[in-house]
Amino acid sequence: MTSTPLPIHSLTLGEIEARLAAAGQPQYRGKQVAQWLYEKRARSFAAMSNLPAALRTQLGEEFLFQELEQVRVLGSADTTRKYLFRLADGALIESVLIPASPALYGEASDRRTLCISTQVGCAYGCKFCASGLDGWSRNLGADEIVGQFLRVEELSGEKINNLVFMGMGEPLANFAHVMQAIAILNAPWGVGLGARHITLSTSGLAPQIRELADQPLQVRLAISLHGATDEVREQIMPVNRKYPLAVLLEACAYYTSRKKQFLTFEYILIEGINDRVEDAGALVRVARKVRGVKINCIPYNTVEGLDWVRPSEARQDAFMAVLEAAQIPATLRREKGHDIAAACGQLRRQTLAPTVETTGEE
Ligand code: SF4
């Protein structure tokens, strides 16, 4: 063995080749291994049947082959399905498969979208989200991020063609591992998922938004905005104290100046908190500060036990009318069950909790 074994699904092809070369193997073996992992979806080194037995043994010494253990699945084939996975250290994470998303980002579509987690817990404590309730435990490794995609495709028997980083955790707080996972998911030798079918969501980590802007990747970025003044946003998202709106908007403007694509502002409409006509006016002013912004408004789904309330349709319409009059590109998504794009982690209360209740499998 040449060095400490690393999870093989956390490595790029170049890194696999380098480790195999250091162990005395020819370079082409790396491509064969990647083909087994991502094209043939082998579930162990032993299953890589056209490799010499000695090499398969050696792979087991050089690398770890860790598969996420399925603990439970909730939902059925034609509804949102929630997968609960146990990691090697016993931590639990969730991934959510949405068989069709008719209006995700305002585009008619029958894509199958997977929403994945990037951390165990979350340190950011957004008020509408259950992910942060127990605080943050650790970052996921790139293999644990890639592993969610591979396991859900395998367990569901369905091909996923859209990936959103909106599950448990703040993706940009686990920047290096998320970028490594995206490299593997995007690569032709890897999963081969187009970068434009990958959306990162952030609560507003300004420095990492700038860092992302400097990456060559063309992934989509969604900002969980939810408030258009510091006063409103701070009520909902404590991260605003660290990165106030002015700082966040400067980072967003930098992002859109570097990328030739829209940036999405997610805005959950909550009655009496951020859904007044003057809030819409503030949102217009915010949107005008960043070129290339689209706004996704999502009426909050009232959940028993929480203080927040979904605004009436009349209030929603009045809010949208202000955006429309100002010619700000904006959509309102009223469908229930497609709230997955509302905010990272929000689905855990808004979409998943009802699923748990109706299936009665908890
Ligand atoms: S919405 Fe996202 S960033 Fe905010 S607490 Fe939930 S998981 Fe963390």
Side-chain angles (χ1 to χ4, degrees):
M1 191 164 70
T2 52
S3 48
T4 314
L6 294 175
I8 192 137
H9 293 100
S10 70
L11 301 173
T12 62
L13 173 60
E15 289 163 345
I16 294 173
E17 285 173 343
R19 284 179 77 97
L20 284 177
Q25 290 290 338
Q27 199 184 8
Y28 69 87
R29 290 294 190 201
K31 282 205 181 64
Q32 283 184 317
V33 171
Q35 216 172 29
W36 272 110
L37 293 174
Y38 299 109
E39 202 182 304
K40 301 181 189 168
R41 301 288 171 97
R43 295 185 58 194
S44 66
F45 292 124
M48 300 180 178
S49 54
N50 70 349
L51 301 183
L55 174 58
R56 280 181 267 157
T57 307
Q58 196 179 8
L59 286 170
E61 292 165 357
E62 296 290 332
F63 306 99
L64 299 172
F65 197 115
Q66 289 171 332
E67 212 175 38
L68 305 189
E69 179 196 340
Q70 183 195 327
V71 177
R72 186 180 298 159
V73 56
L74 299 172
S76 57
D78 56 350
T79 65
T80 297
R81 255 168 297 167
K82 166 185 164 187
Y83 294 87
L84 188 64
F85 294 119
R86 185 175 289 113
L87 306 176
D89 65 354
L92 296 173
I93 55 164
E94 294 171 356
S95 315
V96 182
L97 178 65
I98 304 143
S101 55
L104 199 68
Y105 296 105
E107 298 161 14
S109 164
D110 61 356
R111 295 178 296 188
R112 268 174 302 282
T113 296
L114 180 68
C115 175
I116 57 174
S117 298
T118 53
Q119 299 182 307
V120 180
C122 183
Y124 288 85
C126 304
K127 293 292 192 312
F128 46 77
C129 174
S131 293
L133 288 179
D134 297 324
W136 174 87
S137 302
R138 70 171 174 90
N139 285 334
L140 297 190
D143 58 308
E144 293 166 326
I145 298 170
V146 172
Q148 292 173 66
F149 187 100
L150 299 178
R151 278 297 267 158
V152 173
E153 276 208 337
E154 185 221 323
L155 292 166
S156 67
E158 293 184 44
K159 193 163 167 49
I160 295 159
N161 34 31
N162 197 41
L163 184 64
V164 295
F165 286 76
M166 297 182 179
M168 187 192 281
E170 161 57 67
L172 297 191
N174 184 12
F175 197 85
H177 292 166
V178 166
M179 289 301 125
Q180 176 85 347
I182 289 175
I184 296 165
L185 290 161
N186 181 231
W189 54 261
V191 171
L193 185 67
R196 287 173 189 278
H197 297 282
I198 299 173
T199 301
L200 279 171
S201 170
T202 179
S203 61
L205 304 197
Q208 288 88 337
I209 291 169
R210 286 174 178 274
E211 213 177 318
L212 188 66
D214 292 332
Q215 302 270 333
L217 274 172
Q218 290 299 325
V219 294
R220 292 172 185 252
L221 181 63
I223 310 289
S224 296
L225 192 69
H226 311 318
T229 63
D230 283 323
E231 194 193 358
V232 170
R233 198 162 189 267
E234 261 170 40
Q235 276 186 63
I236 316 172
M237 307 186 71
V239 67
N240 196 74
R241 278 185 230 121
K242 190 159 185 198
Y243 303 115
L245 263 179
V247 174
L248 172 60
L249 294 177
E250 269 174 33
C252 291
Y254 179 70
Y255 183 90
T256 55
S257 74
R258 304 275 298 173
K259 302 276 181 192
K260 290 185 180 54
Q261 55 179 270
F262 273 95
L263 183 71
T264 308
F265 282 163
E266 305 285 349
Y267 195 97
I268 307 170
L269 288 164
I270 308 171
E271 185 172 292
I273 301 287
N274 64 0
D275 73 329
R276 296 157 301 190
V277 164
E278 55 262 41
D279 294 312
L283 185 54
V284 168
R285 289 191 289 281
V286 158
R288 285 194 172 137
K289 288 189 181 148
V290 185
R291 199 171 42 84
V293 154
K294 281 200 285 197
I295 298 177
N296 251 339
C297 291
I298 311 104
Y300 182 76
N301 281 337
T302 308
V303 174
E304 215 175 314
L306 290 188
D307 290 341
W308 317 106
V309 175
R310 182 186 180 97
S312 67
E313 293 206 356
R315 282 180 78 103
Q316 296 170 24
D317 290 341
F319 190 94
M320 296 307 291
V322 175
L323 302 183
E324 197 181 334
Q327 298 186 316
I328 303 291
T331 52
L332 176 70
R333 267 207 335 270
R334 283 197 174 125
E335 308 93 340
K336 287 201 176 186
H338 296 287
D339 295 334
I340 193 133
C344 43
Q346 191 208 5
L347 65 108
R348 291 164 59 76
R349 269 207 195 273
Q350 294 203 5
T351 304
L352 302 183
T355 307
V356 173
E357 284 158 18
T358 52
T359 57
E361 291 179 33
E362 272 285 32

